[in-house]
Every structure is written in structure tokens, then in C-alpha cells.
Amino acid sequence: MFNYRVYWTFTKKSFLRSSVYRFDVWSRLGSNIIFLLMWGSIWTALYAGREEAGGVGFEAMLTYIVVSQFLTGVNGAGTPLWEIQEKVRTGDIALELMRPFDIPLRYLFADIGSVAFYIVTALLPLYTVLFIFMDLALPTDWLTWLYFVVASIIGFMIRYCIEMSFGLLTFFLVETGGIEDIFYFAMSLLSGSVIPLWFFPDWLATIALYLPFQGIYYIPNAIFIGEIAGAEILVSIGIQLFWVAVTYMTLRLIWNRASRKVVVQGG
Amino acid sequence: MVPIIEVEHLMKDFKIAKRETGFAGAIRSLVKREFITKEAVKDISFTIEEGEMVGYIGPNGAGKSTTIKMLTGILVPSGGSVRVNGIIPYENRQKNAKNIGVVFGQRTQLWWDLPTIESFELLKEIYQVSNERYEENMATFTDILGLDEFLDTPVRQLSLGQRMRADIAASLLHDPPILFLDEPTIGLDVVAKEKMRTFIKEINKERNITVILTTHDMEDIEKLCKRMVLIDHGQKVYDGEISVVKDRFGKIRTLVVDLEESDCILQLSGGKVFKEEGNRYWIHFNRDEVSASELIAQITSTHNIKDLTVEEPEIESIISRIYQEGFQDLPNPVKV
Ligand SMILES: Nc1ncnc2c1ncn2[C@@H]1O[C@H](COP(=O)(O)OP(=O)(O)OP(=O)(O)O)[C@@H](O)[C@H]1O
Ligand SMILES: [Mg+2]
């Protein structure tokens, strides 16, 4: 049933398509850098010259921010939420139902294409330079790098499943502004992308720990700076895998219901 | 032989949220929404054999597109059953997709911002069409439809006629045995319509593709189909040979004349005034019994004509006449 060539085509096409919208890449990179500078100076001010806060050194914190901005770049390069809302709103989603492919997978592979383009052309060059010239706490052994890459990829999958699920809610709701707000709020706060979980008040940290969002930013990032280490790494990746499974099944469930509810306007 | 398309007691309701008015209404709708049920397709049954080309017609809002959407698997029926090439479309969309080609005249299925050729290439991959077959098909389609003049143009910049040609070619790239055409000639000029018809006719004949065609253009049907299924208000009104309907209703033309004076009594042999407004008269005539020029000659012998037009029967007017006059005495009554 699964024919990877069909999906791979979407990856290639959306990779090429991203190159058409080069301005988009530059503007996104610009805002990525601005946010990096902003968070960098906020945290510098918060540390106020101290070597350490919340048990984490300044250098590690700065690294956390840089990595977090890198992951934001990765996870923000695809736009399935927006795309799917647009398709549902215009009714074009129906036309895709008449094609011999699975729609959630097709968007995943397209997403991979645009993210790959952005990573190769913008993120990697920029962050390589940052890693070389800034005083950051880089992992010293290659295994940590490997875990980081693996955890980031799983995080990407979790984010995709959640984002797509939110997007599909457009089928059931007339207005979706609220949905988007919830999504972006959870993505920025509960994921630990702007504030690491260890600075959260206990109750909020507990909530965040029981939600899938931490698997997107916090886990890969904490592995990178060594906050999660040793046997804990595998446990964390296990937690991520658990969340991929749960969010993927949720996505499938929502998709099954949504695809029966398709409304095609006009014609 | 098992029919390639089987539709039995097909139904489709749409639930439409009722719009409440005023402040109190808005508050109420937050808590409880009321729905109106719209029965787009009430009870339609028909079967189509392989290789047939059937005109699926009816006035606006009759339920044609809704039926087609159920045949493609996009919409899930509210009742009854559909089978397309042995497959229940909405239960097995992906498998059904390989068997069908679809053109919705009102919207394109090509990728809006890609050059046309890239949409074709994408479809080639999606349907896993072999290189040879792709080349062959492209050569044939380019030949008849003249695709080469716009293959490098992004779809959003194509003219309507070009877009429609690209769309129909795209729907056939994967050699589907069945083709659904929902208003494939809408908005096209006379020449483009003719080209489109030639193409449809040819692929039906050469490739034995089963075609269901909806249109509001009587000429499309006359030129392409032997059989038509006529629906109205979500129900089947007629299913049978076109020639029967055409013989009976299609020969009636309308002559509209503006005379210099009003309130005339026109006594015409072969024509009948059925409406008048001021000095404008609408006259029905059967083109087998009398020609328009004979009628005009009759009128000019007693009156001065300022202006005139001859109206071809539209499918709508045929349907409305069928409604008025009923089907009971048609030689080939409704098949169920
Ligand atoms: N998504 C929808 N939601 C609610 N009502 C709908 C929807 N789609 C169609 N309808 C209604 O169902 C009826 C049949 O529509 P349909 O599009 O099948 O008509 P049609 O025969 O294709 O007409 P036309 O010749 O104008 O294209 C119409 O009354 C239409 O308003
Ligand atoms: Mg229609």
C-alpha cells in the first residue's frame, strides 16, 4: 500500500518550490536572528552577571537559546496548519481526496521538503557560524550529537502531528482563530522553546511534563546542553516516541472523522 | 456483464447551520445551533455500462455535481449505495482514484502556482505512470488539445479555455477507465467547445472510456451522448435515449419578434404566440413543420418587423416543457 515514491515526489516538489519563494526564506531567517538577539539579551539581563541560575550555567543557558532558535527555524519552516486551513476553506482539500495518496502523509513529506530546503540554505550556514564564533557549550562527544539529531527529528514529527491535527479541526469549526492561538501558545510556552522547563513553577512544569509539547523543543535541547544525560537520554527519547505514537494516532482519528465530513463548495 | 457504475437509491442531505439574526439570535446560536436539512439528492438509481457516454443533466441545483462527488468518493452518501468499477468510492478513495479521471469545469485540479508541465509531471509520479505511457499520452493530448502553446505557463495565468484543456488532459494521464466531466465546456467559446467535444468523443471511442458528462449546453449532449439521465430536485425524471426527448421537445424553437404596433393578433400557420409584452411577441414553432423564414414571411405580409431573434432550446427549457407536458406518453418511459 505504502508507495514511498509518490510521497517522495512531494518532498522534491516542495523543496524546489521553496527555492522559488526565496524572499520568504530570507525574511524568516531575518526574524529568526532578531528573536535570537532578543532572547539572548533578555537572558543575559536576567542572569545579570551571575555564573549560574536554577542550577544551570550562563553558557549552557545561552546555548539553550541558540539551539532553541535553531529548532524554531526547523519547526517553523513548514506551514501545514496554514495550508490545511486554506485547503479546507477553499474546498480544494476535496480534490486531494480524489488522489491515490494519503493526505496526512502527503503533507508530512511536503513539509520535510520545505524544511530541508530551509535547513540547507539558511539554518545550517547561520548556526554553524554561530557555533564556531560564540562561546557556547557544545557537546563534546559525537553520541550526544547523534541523540540530539534523533530527538530533534522525533520532535519534528510530534510537532507535525499536533499541528496537522489542529489544522484539521477547521473541518469541524467555523472560526479557527482560537484554535491557532491555543496551538501557538502551547508551542511557545509549554514546549520550553522560550523558557526552559526547569525555570517553570512546579505546577506548570508538572503540566508541561505530562504534555507532548516538551518533546518538540525541551528534550532535544536539554540533551544538547547536557541537562538530560546518561540513561535519562534514552528515557526521554522513549517519552518522545510515546508521544509520536499518541499524536499520530490522534491525527489519524481526527483525519478519519474529518475526511467523512468534507464539504465541497460550489460546482 | 456487470455495469461499470451502479447507483442505487442514492441520497445526500446537507446540514446547513441556520443563521440567527440579531443579538439574541447570536447568543442563542452560541449555545445551540439549529440546522436545516437540504436534500440535494433524494433517491437516484441508474447503471452505466462500460464504454457508454451518458449525459447527466438537470437545472441548476438539481444535484448533478453532488452525485458526481459521491461517485468520486469525495462525499459520503447519506443513503443508498454507489459502486464504481466494483469499488465503493468513499470507502476506498485511493483505489477508486486510480480508476477515475475527473474534471470539474468550475475549478482546476492543477497546482495553481506551478508551470502546467510540472503539474503533469507531478501527476505522473502520483499515479505511477511509466515514462513510455506518459510520453505517448502527452503526445496524443498535445496533438488534439494543442497543449504545447502553454505548457511552461503557470496554471494561474492560463485562459479558461487553456486551463480546461490542461485539466482534461491531466485527468486522463493515468488511463482511467472512467471519466467524470462536470461542465467541461462551461465558459468556453464556440471553437474551444468544439475542440473539447472532438476530444471527448475521440477518447470515448478510441479508448473505450466510460464517460459521465454534465452540462447546460444542449449541443454538448446532442453531439456526444446517446443516452441521458435527467434529474431535477434530486430525483430522476428521465433516463433513456436522447433522440426521444429531442424529437419531441428539441425541435421546438422560439421566434422573438418586435413589431411596430402592439396588441396584434398574429394568426400563423405552424407557429403559436405563447407570450407577449408590449410590442414583443414570443412564438413557438416546430422546425420540422415550418422554417423560421417562412414564419417571418407570414408576419411581414401583414406587419412591420423591427427586430427578431430565433432562440435555440436550452436544456432548461426542454426540462421545463417536459415538466409541463409530462412523461406519461413518451414512448420510452422512465426506467427505474
Ligand atoms: N456543500 C453544500 N452544503 C450545502 N448545500 C449544498 C452543498 N453542495 C450543494 N448543496 C445544495 O445541494 C443542491 C444540489 O447542488 P449541486 O451542486 O449538486 O447542483 P447541480 O445540479 O450541480 O447544479 P449546477 O447546474 O448549478 O451546477 C443545491 O441546492 C445546493 O445548494
Ligand atoms: Mg454542478
Side-chain angles (χ1 to χ4, degrees):
Chain A
M1 191 68 212
F2 182 77
N3 191 332
Y4 89 96
R5 270 186 54 201
V6 173
Y7 298 99
W8 185 235
T9 307
F10 282 103
T11 307
K12 280 189 295 190
K13 274 275 183 268
S14 77
F15 188 93
L16 291 177
R17 215 173 100 178
S18 304
S19 65
V20 176
Y21 298 102
R22 249 162 310 179
F23 176 73
D24 215 42
V25 172
W26 294 122
S27 61
R28 240 185 260 162
L29 194 62
S31 78
N32 191 283
I33 295 171
I34 289 169
F35 272 99
L36 181 63
L37 292 175
M38 190 187 85
W39 287 114
S41 30
I42 288 177
W43 281 103
T44 310
L46 286 175
Y47 267 73
R50 272 176 293 167
E51 269 307 298
E52 199 211 82
V56 175
F58 178 64
E59 203 185 61
M61 188 57 227
L62 208 57
T63 312
Y64 187 95
I65 289 158
V66 174
V67 173
S68 182
Q69 272 317 113
F70 174 77
L71 290 176
T72 305
V74 171
N75 283 298
T79 48
L81 178 71
W82 178 81
E83 256 178 87
I84 207 77
Q85 285 183 343
E86 195 61 14
K87 289 264 158 129
V88 174
R89 203 180 51 73
T90 57
D92 280 350
I93 190 75
L95 301 178
E96 300 217 318
L97 284 172
M98 299 184 318
R99 301 283 185 212
F101 51 66
D102 178 69
I103 291 180
L105 281 180
R106 165 239 184 284
Y107 280 97
L108 171 64
F109 279 78
D111 212 33
I112 291 173
S114 31
V115 170
F117 183 84
Y118 189 50
I119 291 180
V120 172
T121 57
L123 289 178
L124 272 189
L126 172 70
Y127 282 86
T128 308
V129 170
L130 287 181
F131 282 154
I132 292 173
F133 290 103
M134 279 177 75
D135 229 358
L136 299 174
L138 300 187
T140 45
D141 66 319
W142 62 271
L143 205 59
T144 310
W145 281 96
L146 181 70
Y147 285 138
F148 167 71
V149 171
V150 170
S152 303
I153 292 173
I154 304 175
F156 171 84
M157 301 289 292
I158 298 175
R159 184 218 106 238
Y160 175 79
C161 293
I162 295 177
E163 185 167 346
M164 198 66 180
S165 301
F166 270 95
L168 289 175
L169 292 178
T170 317
F171 274 99
F172 307 98
L173 303 164
V174 187
E175 298 129 76
T176 49
I179 289 292
E180 268 170 72
D181 291 347
I182 295 173
F183 175 72
Y184 287 114
F185 169 76
M187 279 298 281
S188 54
L189 184 67
L190 294 173
S191 68
S193 80
V194 292
I195 305 167
L197 260 53
W198 61 78
F199 284 118
F200 282 16
D202 282 345
W203 62 272
L204 192 59
T206 314
I207 292 176
L209 278 175
Y210 281 99
L211 288 173
F213 302 100
Q214 56 139 344
I216 307 169
Y217 287 98
Y218 176 73
I219 291 180
N221 207 339
I223 291 175
F224 190 90
I225 64 163
E227 195 58 24
I228 296 177
E232 237 187 300
I233 293 180
L234 293 179
V235 174
S236 299
I237 290 180
I239 293 175
Q240 278 188 305
L241 287 175
F242 166 77
W243 279 119
V244 172
V246 172
T247 51
Y248 183 73
M249 283 187 301
T250 311
L251 170 60
R252 296 253 57 123
L253 194 78
I254 295 181
W255 170 242
N256 276 345
R257 312 207 98 213
S259 66
R260 292 194 149 244
K261 225 186 113 70
V262 171
V263 171
V264 202
Q265 263 85 25
Chain B
M1 207 172 63
V2 187
I4 195 159
I5 294 171
E6 295 168 275
V7 171
E8 254 178 78
H9 302 296
L10 190 61
M11 289 193 274
K12 180 71 196 178
D13 302 333
F14 288 109
K15 276 214 174 70
I16 307 164
K18 212 157 114 185
R19 273 272 172 99
E20 304 262 4
T21 46
F23 180 72
I27 297 293
R28 221 176 307 132
S29 69
L30 268 182
V31 186
K32 184 166 158 267
R33 281 175 151 258
E34 281 191 60
F35 291 94
I36 313 171
T37 307
K38 162 98 209 168
E39 296 178 297
V41 172
K42 278 180 200 151
D43 179 6
I44 289 183
S45 307
F46 58 82
T47 56
I48 292 172
E49 301 293 333
E50 196 177 342
E52 261 193 289
M53 173 130 66
V54 177
Y56 194 61
I57 32 199
N60 289 131
K64 304 180 295 294
S65 299
T66 306
T67 311
I68 301 233
K69 283 166 192 164
M70 287 190 277
L71 290 169
T72 62
I74 301 176
L75 288 181
V76 183
S78 324
S81 68
V82 230
R83 216 170 252 278
V84 176
N85 214 5
I87 293 169
I88 298 172
Y90 62 94
E91 281 184 358
N92 211 335
R93 285 194 179 106
Q94 295 188 41
K95 216 165 151 202
N96 190 49
K98 299 212 167 194
N99 289 329
I100 60 171
V102 188
V103 175
F104 288 114
Q106 315 235 18
R107 61 167 78 214
T108 183
Q109 295 163 63
L110 305 171
W111 282 264
W112 203 237
D113 42 9
L114 296 181
T116 313
I117 184 73
E118 285 202 42
S119 275
F120 286 120
E121 281 166 7
L122 193 47
L123 289 169
K124 168 182 179 287
E125 296 300 324
I126 290 173
Y127 288 96
Q128 302 282 290
V129 183
S130 73
N131 288 334
E132 301 82 63
R133 192 59 191 147
Y134 176 74
E135 298 297 337
E136 267 171 38
N137 274 340
M138 283 304 281
T140 317
F141 300 158
T142 304
D143 207 33
I144 315 177
L145 294 169
L147 302 180
D148 41 354
E149 60 180 83
F150 53 81
L151 276 180
D152 295 322
T153 316
V155 174
R156 79 181 111 79
Q157 290 170 14
L158 297 184
S159 77
L160 185 60
Q162 292 172 331
R163 204 218 78 205
M164 214 78 104
R165 279 183 274 162
D167 252 301
I168 195 168
S171 73
L172 289 165
L173 272 184
H174 58 290
D175 291 307
I178 302 162
L179 183 61
F180 298 120
L181 300 173
D182 194 353
E183 306 195 39
T185 57
I186 189 169
L188 300 190
D189 66 32
V190 187
V191 181
K193 271 187 182 169
E194 206 43 54
K195 263 197 198 158
M196 189 60 97
R197 287 178 196 136
T198 313
F199 181 72
I200 296 170
K201 195 163 198 153
E202 198 150 315
I203 51 119
N204 169 254
K205 227 170 61 194
E206 305 279 310
R207 304 182 173 207
N208 200 34
I209 294 180
T210 311
V211 181
I212 294 190
L213 167 80
T214 85
T215 180
H216 290 284
D217 186 330
M218 194 56 193
E219 230 181 307
D220 286 346
I221 312 269
E222 283 183 48
K223 294 215 162 125
L224 294 172
C225 311
K226 274 210 197 68
R227 171 182 165 199
M228 71 179 202
V229 174
L230 195 67
I231 64 164
D232 192 16
H233 291 103
Q235 277 171 319
K236 195 164 84 170
V237 186
Y238 176 76
D239 181 348
E241 300 249 332
I242 286 176
S243 52
V244 174
V245 174
K246 231 170 55 186
D247 282 351
R248 180 151 167 181
F249 301 100
K251 288 177 178 160
I252 308 293
R253 297 279 186 280
T254 306
L255 174 66
V256 187
V257 288
D258 288 355
L259 302 182
E260 296 216 309
E261 58 263 67
S262 48
D263 293 326
C264 315
I265 311 282
L266 288 171
Q267 286 294 351
L268 304 165
S269 76
K272 198 177 113 206
V273 178
F274 69 97
K275 189 172 147 194
E276 53 176 288
E277 242 175 58
N279 59 347
R280 177 167 290 183
Y281 300 81
W282 282 262
I283 302 155
H284 271 330
F285 67 99
N286 186 326
R287 71 166 173 200
D288 279 357
E289 292 164 10
V290 64
S291 74
S293 55
E294 279 166 7
L295 268 184
I296 294 162
Q298 284 183 46
I299 300 170
T300 39
S301 65
T302 48
H303 299 85
N304 283 331
I305 297 180
K306 286 200 313 202
D307 198 5
L308 64 87
T309 45
V310 180
E311 289 175 354
E312 293 277 311
E314 300 255 314
I315 195 69
E316 268 76 13
S317 74
I318 292 186
I319 291 163
S320 72
R321 285 177 57 87
I322 287 174
Y323 251 125
Q324 284 159 23
E325 299 180 23
F327 264 104
Q328 289 71 11
D329 43 352
L330 271 178
N332 189 357
V334 182
K335 285 198 284 191
V336 180

